[in-house]
Amino acid sequence: MAKTILHKAATRGHAAHGWLDSHHTFSFAGYYNADRMSFGALRVLNDDIVAGGRGFDTHPHDNMEIISIPLEGDLEHKDNLGNKIVIKQGDIQVMSTGTGVFHSEYNANADRPAKFLQIWVFPNQLNVQPRYDQITPDLTQKNQLHQVLSPYPDDAGTWIYQAAWFNLGRFDKDFATSYQIQKPGNGVYAFVIKGRFDINGQVLDARDGFGIWDTDSFSLTALESDAEILLMDVPLKP
């Protein structure tokens, strides 16, 4: 029988810094919960709102796969690899930080906030040469899951140094499908971006997180129109 864990949106850690309003699904910065250190290789899932014209000053990372998914607005990214680029809603940004990267992220607009998901995944290779990638997948087709990340450079979406697969989907009310877990030993952490879903009988509201493992597949049903979800299929033992 499948094992599951539910993290309701209201139980997440919260940090309000004026320019930044952030909810932490897993322990991060000033939020520490011994029961919420990670979901396998998924280490960080932050739901961030950055005030107009503000952002994260230049800071370092190493040996982490960092994925950014803008939900509203635009973020200007700069790094010591020579990249200066804006990521927008619909884009997926990946950094394999490996031996070390310095970067900054700023709201590119002074008059409105930017909202994005910041996700960290433990890599399966340490001290790789840092790399940056950014894609704009076609997510217009509703009622299907779109793979936006995998371990393979020649597969759909972008890629990272980990046996992980990310899928995004937007669904009409009552549309039902199933998801097949990609690899033995993996589990899936689902994060509801918008609307409501039923996963294997568990009802999830907006910004709820739900982990499921020890199963080959699970059912997924949208309970509202234009419901959006992110599925993160990751190793449970990174």
Side-chain angles (χ1 to χ4, degrees), residues 25-27 32-40 42-44 122:
T25 295
F26 303 107
S27 295
Y32 177 78
N33 183 334
D35 295 325
R36 292 201 193 181
M37 295 306 299
S38 70
F39 179 81
L42 177 61
R43 173 62 188 89
V44 168
F122 290 118

Side-chain angles (χ1 to χ4, degrees), residues 194-213:
K194 178 183 175 184
R196 302 174 74 229
F197 284 88
D198 180 303
I199 295 182
N200 266 24
Q202 174 65 59
V203 174
L204 305 173
D205 297 299
R207 269 35 186 200
D208 286 353
F210 182 69
I212 183 167
W213 68 100

Side-chain angles (χ1 to χ4, degrees), residues 75-88:
L75 287 169
E76 183 178 84
H77 167 94
K78 296 180 184 178
D79 62 44
N80 65 331
L81 305 178
N83 298 295
K84 180 181 179 182
I85 195 164
V86 173
I87 58 173
K88 302 174 179 290

Side-chain angles (χ1 to χ4, degrees), residues 155-224:
D155 204 357
T158 184
W159 65 279
I160 61 171
Y161 288 99
Q162 186 52 273
W165 290 259
F166 284 17
N167 282 265
L168 280 164
R170 182 165 56 95
F171 301 92
D172 291 321
K173 184 178 180 181
D174 298 326
F175 185 86
T177 187
S178 62
Y179 179 84
Q180 186 81 22
I181 293 177
Q182 291 279 352
K183 184 178 179 181
N186 275 23
V188 169
Y189 195 86
F191 184 75
V192 179
I193 296 171
K194 178 183 175 184
R196 302 174 74 229
F197 284 88
D198 180 303
I199 295 182
N200 266 24
Q202 174 65 59
V203 174
L204 305 173
D205 297 299
R207 269 35 186 200
D208 286 353
F210 182 69
I212 183 167
W213 68 100
D214 281 1
T215 185
D216 295 330
S217 63
F218 56 85
S219 63
L220 176 74
T221 304
L223 302 179
E224 293 180 5

